[in-house]
Every structure is written in structure tokens, then in C-alpha cells.
């Protein structure tokens, strides 16, 4: 109980401290909590931390599969005003049960993600803001139970349209090489709306079309709270659409993003 109270006190202190920081910079733009990646980079010399915890409840061929990601972290650093480096690593627990019988329970790191993002064009009239992301997932950085046989790769084009002063539309189109070396075509569409200067909400559709196996289509929705221009809190809930062999029953996530500006 004392540890819980200590964590709450530290969070209150962090929020209170952040509220007094410099608000003269451009507002924070993040790649979380939604699946849709933004086309914007963090800016030259800036460092951005995006982290959180996620719970996912799946069912597959009669099995119950739960994943608890204790730390889903993405680090972003701007090498120039339109190019950034990206590093991500998840620490999670995966548990599989057949009824009351536990078949699999492992805790450890997923493969490390390394990549980059570049801004291609700025938004002008009917032309959206466009960015390009590429990532590699390195098998040797994961625990043996989560280790794929080959390096995973993905290439994503990210787009953003400003609809009004309070709303915007983001969407992604891309390809990914999965663990079985088959190609997957991935998509996402996210609509965001600012309720106030600090509170925003969004709704999103996303999924994939693999060359082998069935496609998956999901949705999520969430809320963000901009403590200041460099610190944001978020929460998300979602689930899957289709009734297939594999089905996402519930997704829940909370997290934060913090930007350290170049001095």
C-alpha cells in the first residue's frame, strides 16, 4: 500500500512540475496512443519518450491468450528538422490457457525495434502532410520464447489532413514482413478532435491483409490530456471486429509522452 501511495505522490509531483514548464513551444505531436503513425518528426536535436502499459485479451482456436505489456517504450531523436531516429522495446508477459489449464507463461523482451522517419511533404491545399517510416525488428534482442526466426521489416507511408482548427484525419498504408516471412499489407485510419486546448479524443480503424492466413480488422478509441506542450497523458480501449479463429476481445492502454527540447 505504501508503494502505491508513493507512486501516486510521484505522479502528482511530475504533473505539477510539468504544468509549470515552458508552454511557448509548439504543442506535442506523438505516435501514441493510436496505431496510426503521424507524418511529423520531433525536430532537430529534440528527444521524445513515449511509453505506457497495455493489456490485450485474445481468443484463438478455443484458447485464451492474454498479453500484459508492462513497458511499451518508443524513443525518438531528431537528427534534422525532417528526419528522426527511432528505438522501441517492449517488456511483456504472455499467458495462454486452455480452460483452467495453463499452457504457456513467459515474461521478457520482444525484439528490439530500430528505425527512422522522414517528412516528405508539408500539407498544402489538397496535398496532405506525408511521412515515410521504416523499421527493423531484431530477433537476437528478444527472449527465446518471443524470438522470431528472421528479422522483421516494415515500411509505412503516413498521411495527415487538417479538417478544421479542432479536427484532423490521419491514415497509414504500408507493408510488413511477418514472423513466417510472409508479406502483410497494413492500414489504419484515425480521426482526432480537440475538445479543449488540453483534451483530445480519437477513434480509429486498423488492420492487415496477409498473403497467408486471414485478415484482421480492429478498432480503438481514446483520450489524451496535454499537461503542457511537452507532456501528454493518454488512455485507450479497443477490440476486434471479425469472428475468426483469432479474435481480439479487449485492448486497454494507458501511457504518457514527454519531449525534451534542444537547449
Amino acid at each position: 500500500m505504501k508503494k502505491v501511495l508513493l507512486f501516486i505522490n510521484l505522479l502528482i509531483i511530475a504533473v505539477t512540475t510539468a504544468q509549470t514548464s515552458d508552454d511557448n513551444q509548439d504543442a506535442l505531436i506523438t505516435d501514441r496512443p493510436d496505431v496510426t503513425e503521424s507524418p511529423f518528426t520531433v525536430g532537430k536535436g529534440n528527444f521524445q519518450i513515449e511509453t505506457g502499459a497495455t493489456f490485450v485479451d485474445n481468443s484463438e482456436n478455443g484458447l485464451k491468450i492474454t498479453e500484459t505489456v508492462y513497458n511499451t517504450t518508443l524513443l525518438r531523436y531528431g537528427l534534422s528538422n525532417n528526419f528522426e531516429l527511432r528505438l522501441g522495446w517492449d517488456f511483456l508477459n504472455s499467458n495462454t490457457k486452455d480452460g483452467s489449464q495453463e499452457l504457456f507463461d513467459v515474461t521478457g523482451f520482444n525484439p528490439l525495434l530500430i528505425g527512422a522517419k522522414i517528412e516528405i511533404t508539408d500539407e498544402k491545399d489538397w496535398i496532405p502532410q506525408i511521412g515515410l517510416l521504416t523499421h527493423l525488428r531484431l530477433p537476437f534482442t528478444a527472449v527465446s520464447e518471443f524470438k522470431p526466426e528472421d528479422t522483421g521489416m516494415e515500411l509505412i507511408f503516413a498521411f495527415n489532413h487538417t479538417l478544421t482548427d479542432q479536427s484532423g484525419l490521419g491514415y497509414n498504408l504500408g507493408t510488413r514482413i511477418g514472423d513466417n516471412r510472409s508479406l502483410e499489407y497494413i492500414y489504419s485510419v484515425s480521426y482526432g478532435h480537440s475538445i479543449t486546448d488540453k483534451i483530445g479524443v480519437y477513434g480509429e480503424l486498423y488492420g492487415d491483409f496477409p498473403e497467408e492466413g486471414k485478415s484482421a480488422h480492429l478498432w480503438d478509441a481514446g483520450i489524451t490530456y496535454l499537461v503542457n506542450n511537452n507532456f501528454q497523458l493518454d488512455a485507450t480501449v479497443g477490440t476486434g471486429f471479425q469472428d475468426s479463429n483469432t479474435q481480439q476481445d479487449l485492448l486497454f492502454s494507458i501511457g504518457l509522452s514527454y519531449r525534451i527540447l534542444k537547449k
Side-chain angles (χ1 to χ4, degrees), residues 92-105:
L92 73 152
N93 170 263
S94 181
N95 181 276
T96 302
K97 288 184 178 180
D98 184 359
S100 61
Q101 182 181 4
E102 185 174 86
L103 304 179
F104 179 84
D105 187 77

Side-chain angles (χ1 to χ4, degrees), residues 101-135:
Q101 182 181 4
E102 185 174 86
L103 304 179
F104 179 84
D105 187 77
V106 173
T107 300
F109 283 103
N110 257 335
L112 180 72
L113 176 147
I114 61 172
K117 181 197 289 190
I118 184 170
E119 296 183 25
I120 298 176
T121 65
D122 293 329
E123 184 176 6
K124 184 177 181 181
D125 299 327
W126 59 271
I127 300 175
Q129 183 85 18
I130 303 175
L132 176 64
L133 300 88
T134 180
H135 296 131

Side-chain angles (χ1 to χ4, degrees), residues 17-34:
T17 303
Q19 286 175 328
T20 63
S21 68
D22 185 11
D23 283 338
N24 293 325
Q25 299 292 331
D26 292 336
L28 188 65
I29 298 176
T30 68
D31 282 343
R32 64 164 299 128
D34 57 358

Side-chain angles (χ1 to χ4, degrees), residues 11-187:
L11 182 60
I12 293 172
I13 292 171
V15 171
T16 303
T17 303
Q19 286 175 328
T20 63
S21 68
D22 185 11
D23 283 338
N24 293 325
Q25 299 292 331
D26 292 336
L28 188 65
I29 298 176
T30 68
D31 282 343
R32 64 164 299 128
D34 57 358
V35 172
T36 303
E37 308 276 14
S38 81
F40 301 96
T41 58
V42 297
K44 184 177 180 179
N46 296 333
F47 179 68
Q48 193 158 304
I49 304 167
E50 303 181 12
T51 187
T54 302
F55 174 80
V56 181
D57 189 2
N58 295 327
S59 56
E60 181 176 353
N61 297 321
L63 301 178
K64 182 178 177 62
I65 304 170
T66 59
E67 286 189 352
T68 304
V69 186
Y70 301 107
N71 183 18
T72 172
T73 297
L74 175 66
L75 307 179
R76 305 168 60 187
Y77 179 75
L79 286 183
S80 70
N81 287 330
N82 65 351
F83 183 82
E84 72 177 33
L85 297 179
R86 301 161 64 85
L87 183 71
W89 215 0
D90 297 342
F91 184 80
L92 73 152
N93 170 263
S94 181
N95 181 276
T96 302
K97 288 184 178 180
D98 184 359
S100 61
Q101 182 181 4
E102 185 174 86
L103 304 179
F104 179 84
D105 187 77
V106 173
T107 300
F109 283 103
N110 257 335
L112 180 72
L113 176 147
I114 61 172
K117 181 197 289 190
I118 184 170
E119 296 183 25
I120 298 176
T121 65
D122 293 329
E123 184 176 6
K124 184 177 181 181
D125 299 327
W126 59 271
I127 300 175
Q129 183 85 18
I130 303 175
L132 176 64
L133 300 88
T134 180
H135 296 131
L136 296 177
R137 296 184 184 274
L138 307 179
F140 64 87
T141 59
V143 296
S144 58
E145 292 83 356
F146 298 150
K147 183 178 179 180
E149 293 184 1
D150 300 290
T151 300
M153 293 174 281
E154 61 185 13
L155 184 72
I156 300 171
F157 284 94
F159 306 88
N160 186 82
H161 283 281
T162 301
L163 302 179
T164 70
D165 290 341
Q166 289 78 37
S167 64
L169 184 69
Y171 50 99
N172 291 172
L173 296 171
T175 60
R176 176 171 58 213
I177 297 178
D179 294 343
N180 60 358
R181 309 310 296 163
S182 65
L183 191 65
E184 300 174 354
Y185 302 96
I186 56 179
Y187 75 92

Side-chain angles (χ1 to χ4, degrees), residues 43 133 193 202 212 215 226 250:
L133 300 88
H193 182 80
Y202 80 91
E212 298 179 10
S215 60
L226 192 66
L250 174 67

